[in-house]
Amino acid sequence: MDTILSIVQKINFYLSDYILIVLLIGTGLLFTIKTRFVQVRCFGEGMRAVFKKFSMNGGKNHSGLSSFQALTTAIAAQVGTGNIVGACGAILIGGPGAIFWMWIIAFFGMATIYAEAVLAQETREVRADGSIAGGPVYYIRKAVKGGLGKFLAGFFAVAIILALGFMGCMVQSNSIGATCSTAFGVPSWVVGLLVALVAVFVFLGGIQRIASVTEKMVPIMAMLYLLGGLVLLICRIQYLPETFGMIFKYAFVPNAIIGGSIGYALKAAISQGVKRGLFSNEAGMGSTPHAHAMANVAKPHDQGVVAMMGVFIDTFVVLTMTALVVISTLYAGNGPLAGGTAEGITKANMAQLAFGSVFGQGFGNIFVAVCLLFFAFSTILSWNFFGKLNVEYLFGKKGVKVYSVIAIVFIFLGSCLSNDLVWELADMFNQLMVIPNAIALVLLSGIVVKAACGGEK
């Protein structure tokens, strides 16, 4: 296991520190400039579209999903362990300044995810039975013709099946098991078994049942977590100026808190921000376009602006709440991590320690465990669906049953295996997905620009 972990970490080092930074920032900059800052121009339009269509009981659609159901399915995928454990890991390794780089990635990522949603709508296929198929494999084939396009689409499909359908779900169940074990004293494998059994029930209902669950779960889980975080921040309000100051200060001089040379520390802060930012909001990764392709909207632009709100809610609202809670309690005011590191504090228990410092350790453990249970389980639902669509693309409907069985096994195994290895494997396949997806986005940028400029009111 240690040998595998070492190899995967080396691969991730080159992917996240070099290839990923260029692809994500480059793609985000490209679409930000070419769409004339669509994430700023159309922000109000996106917010109005979300709240106008807000409904926790959207009902079943004969074909596809409502725009809001597509958004909650996408947010269910985005808001997961990355918003709690992932954010804590980024802060622990890259310092509080890693959050600043997450914000940067998310700002440009809003333009990227707009492009993904638009292209998913433009290239989706409505089958004879009324079902809808859409996602990156379809716009990759449109962008790159011939054998190369078929290879890139196949590469993406395999990567997302491994990244989300298998490894990603292991990350989610791993975090659920670890936090519930700490909070309730229940063995991780027992929690993993229960999560797997409930997941089977939802999976059997298909996309309509998944959408029905996520449209209710996403608003409730977000409001619960934000309310708890807000109460804590009110209790620590005197440390908020210091907290924000640390985020901006250590974004540029992180060596002052994580040690090493300025070059090493800055690279650690940026790479953690990029890597964990991708895992959190998924902009550029090619996962959420599967949900946005299902939306029944008048024109692609309409779903594009809704998709941007998913990244905004995920990073600038939910993830930022985690960051403020952790930094204001563990770093600010001579907290246990004010000097950099402390024995016994890991990314898996940071949030529980942070909430426990104000609410009491028992309640803090339970609160984080419950929130993470909702976050991670909703992500498992959406990620399994995204993987299923790509299994159908590669093998047809006959491959879905086999995929579903393997996915359930992986959900259970995730609660039993090493945290570090599970995270590193998920990171590797997540990052590999970005490569063919980013190539297709750039090649089809003309379609996106036409939708962004033509859709401006």
Side-chain angles (χ1 to χ4, degrees), residues 120 123-127 130-135 138 290 293-294 389 392:
T123 58
R124 74 178 192 164
E125 297 178 358
V126 181
R127 296 166 178 160
S131 63
I132 297 172
Y138 294 93
H290 297 91
M294 301 289 166
L389 291 177
E392 282 190 29

Side-chain angles (χ1 to χ4, degrees), residues 384-405:
N384 178 270
F385 173 64
F386 299 162
K388 174 186 172 183
L389 291 177
N390 286 274
V391 168
E392 282 190 29
Y393 171 79
L394 290 175
F395 308 109
K397 292 186 179 295
K398 62 183 179 182
V400 172
K401 289 184 178 180
V402 176
Y403 161 77
S404 298
V405 172

Side-chain angles (χ1 to χ4, degrees), residues 109-164:
M110 289 174 72
T112 303
I113 209 162
Y114 172 88
E116 291 179 302
V118 165
L119 291 176
Q121 280 281 318
E122 290 278 5
T123 58
R124 74 178 192 164
E125 297 178 358
V126 181
R127 296 166 178 160
D129 62 357
S131 63
I132 297 172
V137 291
Y138 294 93
Y139 60 70
I140 289 172
R141 292 290 297 273
K142 182 179 179 67
V144 184
K145 306 297 183 183
L148 179 59
K150 187 175 181 179
F151 168 78
L152 289 174
F155 179 86
F156 175 88
V158 171
I160 193 172
I161 292 167
L162 293 174
L164 305 188

Side-chain angles (χ1 to χ4, degrees), residues 2 22 71 74 148 172 198-199 209 272 293 303 325 331 421 455:
D2 288 341
V22 173
L71 175 66
L148 179 59
Q172 306 300 328
V198 177
R209 184 175 295 172
Q272 283 298 312
Q303 194 60 25
V325 164
Y331 285 85
L421 178 59

Side-chain angles (χ1 to χ4, degrees), residues 252-297:
F252 301 99
V253 286
N255 61 312
I257 197 166
I258 65 175
S261 66
I262 181 63
Y264 163 81
L266 188 58
K267 188 170 74 169
I270 295 175
S271 66
Q272 283 298 312
V274 172
K275 182 164 62 175
R276 294 300 170 211
L278 171 68
F279 189 82
S280 175
N281 64 54
E282 302 186 23
M285 196 165 79
S287 54
T288 58
H290 297 91
H292 295 302
M294 301 289 166
N296 295 315
V297 290

Side-chain angles (χ1 to χ4, degrees), residues 73 75-81 164-177 191-192 195-196 198-200 202-203 210 214 217 282 372-388 403 407-408 410-412 414-415:
T73 302
I75 292 179
Q78 293 166 308
V79 178
T81 59
L164 305 188
F166 299 153
M167 302 302 173
C169 287
M170 289 178 73
V171 166
Q172 306 300 328
S173 63
N174 186 286
S175 296
I176 292 173
V191 177
V195 170
V198 177
V200 170
V202 182
F203 293 165
I210 291 173
T214 58
M217 185 180 291
E282 302 186 23
L372 191 61
L373 174 62
F374 281 113
F375 283 12
F377 183 70
S378 66
T379 299
I380 287 173
L381 299 183
S382 292
W383 279 2
N384 178 270
F385 173 64
F386 299 162
K388 174 186 172 183
Y403 161 77
I408 293 299
F410 269 71
I411 291 171
F412 171 71
S415 63

